[in-house]
Amino acid sequence: MEGESEFRHWDELIPDALGLIFRNLSLQEVLTVIPGVCKSWRRAVIGPYCWQEIDIEEWSNRCQPDHLDRMVEMLITRSSGSLRKLCVSGLHNDMMFSLIAENAGSLQTLRLPRSEMSDSIVDQIAGRLSAVTFLDLSYCSKIGAPALEAIGKHCKLLVVLCRNMHPLDTADKLSQDDEANAIASTMPKLKRLEMAYHVISTEIVLKILSSCTLLEFLDLRGCWDVKLDDKFMKGNFPNLKVLGPFVMDYYEINDWDDCSDYSDGSEYLAWEFLAGEMGDYDDDDEIYEGMWDDEGRLEELELRFYDGIEEDAAMLIKG
C-alpha cells in the first residue's frame, strides 16, 4: 500500500524469530541490554525463545561459584521444557543435576565438564536423559564406571561421548579399564569417543573397537599404555581416525589454571542475585529509564535478578 514502509519494525517480529537473532549475542548482552530495548524484546528474553539452547560454558568457567546455580536455575526455568542444548562448566550441586534431568525431555546436547557429580546422582538421573546424543563429562573426577554404565543403559541414542581427563587427576590411578569396559558394553552406537589421559590398556581399547563398530574418531592422547599397530588398524578399521596416544602436542595447563581462577577483576560480569517481586512487565517501563551508562565498564555493572510473580525473573542493572 502506498505510503506504508516496506520494512517491518523490529518490535513486531515474532518471539521465535527474535530468539534466533538474540542467539548471536553474548550472554551479557541478552540479559542486560536486550530487555531494555522494548517490551516485545523483553518478553522474548523472559520467555523460552532465547533459551532452547543455553551455552554459558565460557562464563561459568570464570564466574563466582555461588552465582552459578542461580543462573542455571533461572535459564532452565525460562526454557519451559524446550531445552535442546545445555553447556555449563563446574556444577557442584546435586540439585542442579536433578533440575537438568527434570527438564531434559528435548535435551540432545549436554556438556557438563569439570562438574562435581557423583556416581549415585548420575544413576538417579540417567533415565531422564534418554534423548541425549552428545554428552561431555570431561574432567568430572568424581564419577567412574558406575556412572558411565548407567548412562549407557539409558542413553541409547548417544553417538558422542567426551570423557577427557586432566593428567593430574589420573596420575595416581592404577587402571581405568573399568570405565572403558562400561563404554564398550553399553554404548554400541558411538561415533566419536574422547578418552584423553586415561590409564587404560590396549586390550580394553580393542574391546571398544569391536563393540562400537560405528566409531569414526577415537581420542587416546596421553593413554600411554595403549599400543596399536598401524597395519592392524588400517586393515581392520580403515574408516577410524585415532588421535594419540603419542602426539606432538602439550596439555594446555594454562587454560586449566585460568578456568579455576575466579577473579573479580576479570572481564566477566559479577552477577548478583536478589529475591524480590515485580508487577506485570507491561507496566514498568520506568525501570529502564536512565539505567544505561555507556561510559561504564562491563565489569563494573551489577546485575540483579528479581523473581516475579508470573515471570521467573526480570533484570535491573546498577551502574
Side-chain angles (χ1 to χ4, degrees):
M1 184 180 295
E2 187 176 354
E4 288 190 359
S5 173
E6 60 180 306
F7 301 104
R8 187 172 182 177
H9 293 292
W10 281 90
D11 60 357
E12 296 178 357
L13 288 176
I14 60 175
D16 302 71
L18 290 172
L20 290 172
I21 295 170
F22 295 160
R23 287 178 194 171
N24 296 304
L25 303 176
S26 69
L27 176 67
Q28 290 91 339
E29 289 170 326
V30 173
L31 291 178
T32 66
V33 178
I34 294 303
V37 174
C38 63
K39 295 177 182 179
S40 65
W41 285 24
R42 186 181 179 204
R43 292 191 195 100
V45 171
I46 291 178
Y49 313 102
C50 292
W51 311 112
Q52 294 173 356
E53 297 186 2
I54 299 174
D55 187 347
I56 57 172
E57 185 172 349
E58 185 178 5
W59 176 81
S60 60
N61 279 333
R62 294 170 170 82
C63 78
Q64 294 291 330
D66 57 335
H67 295 160
L68 182 55
D69 287 354
R70 292 191 179 184
M71 175 68 84
V72 172
E73 182 178 5
M74 184 193 72
L75 297 185
I76 290 180
T77 301
R78 287 188 179 187
S79 71
S80 301
S82 63
L83 185 62
R84 296 195 301 263
K85 176 181 178 181
L86 175 64
C87 304
V88 58
S89 176
L91 289 179
H92 59 276
N93 188 329
D94 283 355
M95 291 180 60
M96 289 297 101
F97 303 125
S98 297
L99 177 66
I100 293 171
E102 291 168 2
N103 292 270
S106 302
L107 188 61
Q108 298 175 345
T109 298
L110 180 59
R111 296 176 59 96
L112 300 174
R114 302 182 179 89
S115 294
E116 298 182 10
M117 66 192 74
S118 63
D119 286 331
S120 60
I121 190 63
V122 173
D123 184 60
Q124 294 174 34
I125 69 173
R128 298 183 180 182
L129 304 177
S130 58
V132 171
T133 61
F134 184 112
L135 181 62
D136 187 350
L137 297 177
S138 296
Y139 318 116
C140 298
S141 58
K142 293 187 177 181
I143 62 171
L148 295 177
E149 184 175 357
I151 290 167
K153 287 181 177 180
H154 294 284
C155 303
K156 298 299 184 181
L157 302 179
L158 194 64
V159 294
V160 177
L161 176 65
C162 301
R163 181 71 180 122
N164 300 308
M165 297 300 294
H166 191 286
L168 296 180
D169 287 334
T170 59
D172 60 344
K173 295 184 180 296
L174 297 178
S175 174
Q176 291 175 294
D177 277 1
D178 57 343
E179 287 197 21
N181 185 64
I183 293 171
S185 302
T186 64
M187 304 180 188
K189 294 184 179 180
L190 284 182
K191 293 184 178 180
R192 182 183 182 95
L193 174 60
E194 299 180 11
M195 297 191 69
Y197 295 96
H198 272 65
V199 183
I200 53 179
S201 65
T202 302
E203 290 73 22
I204 201 64
V205 171
L206 293 176
K207 182 176 181 179
I208 290 177
L209 297 181
S210 63
S211 301
C212 305
T213 57
L214 302 178
L215 208 58
E216 299 173 355
F217 180 85
L218 179 60
D219 188 349
L220 295 174
R221 289 173 301 157
C223 301
W224 310 118
D225 295 332
V226 176
K227 314 294 182 184
L228 298 177
D229 181 75
D230 288 342
K231 184 177 180 179
F232 171 81
M233 293 298 295
K234 291 179 181 179
N236 291 274
F237 309 99
N239 298 320
L240 175 63
K241 179 180 179 181
V242 179
L243 181 62
F246 299 98
V247 292
M248 297 301 293
D249 198 354
Y250 67 95
Y251 193 89
E252 296 181 332
I253 188 69
N254 290 332
D255 286 345
W256 176 268
D257 290 341
D258 289 342
C259 290
S260 60
D261 182 15
Y262 302 105
S263 174
D264 287 335
S266 74
E267 61 179 340
Y268 290 84
L269 293 174
W271 310 98
E272 181 178 352
F273 301 85
L274 296 177
E277 293 184 353
M278 289 185 63
D280 182 65
Y281 48 68
D282 286 333
D283 300 325
D284 58 2
D285 289 341
E286 305 83 15
I287 293 175
Y288 295 102
E289 294 181 3
M291 67 187 292
W292 307 107
D293 179 8
D294 293 336
E295 300 299 320
R297 298 186 306 161
L298 279 178
E299 57 265 34
E300 293 172 343
L301 297 178
E302 184 180 74
L303 178 62
R304 300 173 182 263
F305 292 97
Y306 290 81
D307 297 329
I309 299 176
E310 297 181 356
E311 308 85 21
D312 51 271
M315 287 79 69
L316 289 175
I317 296 180
K318 180 180 178 181

